[in-house]
Amino acid sequence: MKKIFFLLPMALFLAACQSDKKSETTETAEERIPVELRQVKTQTVADPVYLSGLVSNEKEARLSFKTGGVIQRVYVDEGDRVAAGQLLATLDLTEISAQVSQSRQGVEKARRDWERAKNLYADSVATKEQLQNANTAFEVAKENQRIADFNQKFSEIRAPHAGRIVRKLMNEGELAGPGTPIFFMDGQGEAAWVLRAGVPDRDWARIAEGDKAEVVFDAWPDEVFVGVVSNKAVAADPRSGSFEIEIKVQAKGKTLASGLFAKAKLTPNAVGQVKCVPIEALQEGNGKDAFVFITKDNQTVQKQAIRIAFINKDCVAVSQGLENVTEVITSGSPFLTERSLIKVIPTHTSAQ
């Protein structure tokens, strides 16, 4: 009887322990977080370049007089459209015309002196040196006349091409110096607008003429304009250290203006192979640094630091951190910690 009474408490104790273990196992299974795994893919993609800048006209020009003088007439105003060769402004020609007349009289005198010296030399009265000096003076006088005629010709401003007067910087009666801008004009036509922006040397090396670009203006934020790289600088700007890129923009019938601000996404033709993960796998991104969760046994998780190269739509290109990783956790990752237990579910289960 004593043995029976002794074995009964032991049996009850063992049964209670087994019940506790079953309860703990059930509770642990219920605490497992369902997650999905997605493969790390290697894709051939182009790293886009993002830039911004101001739009200007490809044929913009600053027009000025070749010589200085008083402005006599201005024939156009700001906003006027002009044709190629149209007269825009003239100087008072009083002084310039006097210089032209003076140069022509100088040519006539030099010609007479040269002919006289030639006759005297033929009669052995003048020396050969005197003849040569007279000939030189004659040639110098003719070149002076060419200079005076040239200055007179460029004492007026004509439009170098068809376009529009953007700014008029001086008015009639003002004294204009040689080369001082009087007008600022642009060209016309849909293919005449370019976006100029500076890029660092790393991006400059990947960009080539002919690369496509998507351009968005602040004036039309919901429209995407097509652009193509038309020129890239061969030297850096000494002030900023960046390289200027020109993107020719198709206006799509819009009336563009110099100085409009625009942003562009440029896709270089040069491509490379990168490892891509779904964007929903990223956790706690900080600039180019982030991390993802991975599992090696489908039960526990591990936080894996990665370095982001770029993000292209739903593909996150990773430059470092996934060298020996084939799968990452996507769905369920926001609820995970490094101590979490997981239950891997098929991808299609979550989609239902």
Side-chain angles (χ1 to χ4, degrees), residues 74-78 80-82 86-89 165 168 183:
V74 175
Y75 298 95
V76 292
D77 290 318
E78 291 185 0
D80 288 353
R81 293 193 175 274
V82 298
Q86 181 177 334
L87 183 62
L88 307 180
I165 302 299
K168 183 179 69 172
F183 301 105

Side-chain angles (χ1 to χ4, degrees), residues 222-243:
D222 299 326
E223 292 191 52
V224 178
F225 294 75
V226 177
V228 60
V229 176
S230 58
N231 188 34
K232 55 182 290 190
V234 296
D237 186 327
R239 294 170 297 179
S240 64
S242 61
F243 292 82

Side-chain angles (χ1 to χ4, degrees), residues 9 99 165 196 315 317 332:
Q99 292 174 350
I165 302 299
R196 292 185 173 93
C315 168

